[in-house]
C-alpha cells in the first residue's frame, strides 16, 4: 500500500506552525490543512448558538455540557468548509459555505472556545473523517494542528512537533496584535496561553504531545527561516 505524502506539524498555538506549514506546502506543491482553524470555527459557531454555557473555564464536563456536546457535534457535521492557499497573505484561506471567514476566528476569546470544544469526544469524532478525507486523492498534504501526527495521520512519513516557551509565544502574539493596531495586554495573553496549554496537554481525549517518531523543534530562539530549513531537510529525507 502506498503511504500518502503527508507532513504533520503539531504543537501549541504561537509556535509558528502556520507559517512553516504554508512554506512547506508551497515548496512541495501540497494541499494545506489548518486543523486548529477547524476547532476555532466550531468553537465560535457553538458560542454563537449558545452551546458553550455548560463548559467551565477548565474545559471540564458538567451535566449541562453533556446535553450541549451532542448539539455541538451536530453543528460540526453541518459545517461546509474548504481550505485554499492565499498567495497574498501566505496563509490558508478558509471558506464556510463558499464565503471567506474573517479574522474573527483568530481572536484570543475564540482560542478559548476552540480549546473547550476540543475536549469533547463527539466533536472530535465529527471532525475526524473530515480531516482524514482531506488527504484522499491528493498529491500531498501538510496538516497543522495538535494531534495530526498522533491521531489523525499516525502513518504520516513526516511528523514534526513545533513548540516554543509560553513567554516567547506571548511576545509574538503581543507583537502581532500591536502590528494590527489592536490593544493588547502581555500578562493577559501569557495567562491565556498557559491556561490553554494546560487544557490541551492534560485533556483525556487526544492530548497535545509529540508523536514518538516526530522531529521536536523549540522555536523560542529560532527564526522562521531556521525552522523551515530544519524541517525541510528532515522532510526531504523522509519523503
Amino acid at each position: 500500500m502506498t503511504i500518502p505524502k503527508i507532513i504533520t506539524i503539531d504543537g501549541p498555538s504561537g509556535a509558528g506552525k502556520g507559517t512553516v506549514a504554508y512554506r512547506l506546502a508551497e515548496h512541495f506543491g501540497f494541499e494545506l490543512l489548518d486543523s486548529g482553524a477547524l476547532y476555532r470555527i466550531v468553537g465560535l459557531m457553538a458560542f454563537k448558538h449558545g452551546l458553550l454555557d455548560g463548559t467551565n473555564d477548565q474545559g471540564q464536563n458538567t451535566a449541562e455540557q453533556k446535553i450541549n456536546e451532542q448539539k455541538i457535534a451536530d453543528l460540526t457535521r453541518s459545517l461546509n468548509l474548504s481550505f485554499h492557499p492565499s498567495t497574498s497573505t501566505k496563509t490558508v484561506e478558509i471558506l464556510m459555505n463558499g464565503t471567506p471567514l474573517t479574522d474573527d476566528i483568530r481572536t484570543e476569546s475564540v482560542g478559548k472556545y476552540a480549546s473547550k470544544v476540543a475536549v469533547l469526544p463527539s466533536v472530535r469524532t465529527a471532525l475526524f473523517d473530515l480531516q482524514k478525507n482531506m488527504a484522499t486523492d491528493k498529491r500531498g498534504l501538510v496538516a497543522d494542528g495538535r494531534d495530526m501526527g498522533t491521531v489523525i495521520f499516525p502513518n504520516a512519513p513526516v511528523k514534526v512537533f513545533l513548540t516554543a516557551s509560553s513567554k516567547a509565544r506571548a511576545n509574538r502574539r503581543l507583537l502581532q496584535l500591536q502590528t494590527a493596531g489592536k490593544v493588547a495586554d502581555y500578562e493577559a495573553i501569557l495567562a491565556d496561553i498557559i491556561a490553554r496549554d494546560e487544557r490541551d496537554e492534560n485533556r483525556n481525549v487526544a492530548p497535545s504531545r509529540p508523536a514518538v517518531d516526530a522531529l521536536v523543534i523549540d522555536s523560542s530562539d529560532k527564526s522562521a527561516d531556521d525552522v523551515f530549513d530544519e524541517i525541510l531537510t528532515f522532510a526531504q529525507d523522509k519523503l
Side-chain angles (χ1 to χ4, degrees):
M1 183 178 69
T2 301
I3 300 175
K5 291 183 177 179
I6 298 173
I7 301 173
T8 63
I9 312 288
D10 288 321
S13 176
K17 301 191 306 293
T19 299
V20 74
Y22 183 92
R23 291 182 65 178
L24 287 167
E26 190 175 46
H27 178 87
F28 288 108
F30 289 177
E31 299 288 327
L32 268 170
L33 166 59
D34 183 348
S35 174
L38 291 177
Y39 285 98
R40 284 175 173 268
I41 293 165
V42 172
L44 179 59
M45 292 298 103
F47 174 75
K48 286 185 173 181
H49 284 77
L51 300 176
L52 282 180
D53 294 340
T55 309
N56 65 21
D57 287 341
Q58 287 74 46
Q60 295 171 338
N61 289 346
T62 67
E64 185 180 356
Q65 183 197 342
K66 290 178 182 177
I67 297 173
N68 287 346
E69 179 178 344
Q70 187 57 52
K71 293 180 181 178
I72 296 173
D74 291 341
L75 174 65
T76 301
R77 293 188 187 93
S78 73
L79 297 176
N80 179 15
L81 302 170
S82 58
F83 295 79
H84 302 277
S86 170
T87 54
S88 59
T89 63
K90 298 298 182 182
T91 59
V92 60
E93 181 181 48
I94 307 155
L95 304 182
M96 185 164 66
N97 298 320
T99 302
L101 291 172
T102 66
D103 289 339
D104 288 348
I105 66 166
R106 301 300 180 185
T107 65
E108 298 303 308
S109 58
V110 173
K112 293 179 183 178
Y113 305 151
S115 198
K116 289 176 180 179
V117 299
V119 304
L120 306 178
S122 296
V123 174
R124 300 191 72 86
T125 299
L127 284 172
F128 182 82
D129 289 340
L130 172 65
Q131 294 174 104
K132 290 284 287 186
N133 289 339
M134 289 197 69
T136 305
D137 299 325
K138 300 289 194 304
R139 175 183 174 185
L141 179 73
V142 181
D144 154 9
R146 297 288 197 284
D147 61 357
M148 296 295 97
T150 54
V151 176
I152 307 300
F153 301 112
N155 295 321
V158 182
K159 300 173 189 172
V160 176
F161 190 86
L162 185 59
T163 188
S165 70
S166 55
K167 289 183 178 179
R169 288 183 283 135
N171 278 319
R172 291 171 186 172
R173 181 59 176 161
L174 179 68
L175 179 61
Q176 184 182 39
L177 291 170
Q178 289 175 336
T179 301
K182 298 180 180 179
V183 177
D185 182 328
Y186 171 80
E187 294 300 332
I189 293 172
L190 178 60
D192 179 60
I193 285 174
I194 292 172
R196 198 183 311 170
D197 287 350
E198 177 71 17
R199 285 195 298 270
D200 291 345
E201 292 169 10
N202 295 294
R203 64 193 182 207
N204 292 327
V205 181
S208 179
R209 61 185 56 163
V212 293
D213 53 346
L215 169 68
V216 179
I217 300 175
D218 187 329
S219 71
S220 300
D221 300 312
K222 293 184 177 182
S223 70
D225 286 343
D226 288 340
V227 171
F228 172 74
D229 289 342
E230 189 171 348
I231 296 176
L232 180 61
T233 299
F234 178 72
Q236 287 173 327
D237 241 10
K238 296 286 186 178
L239 294 175

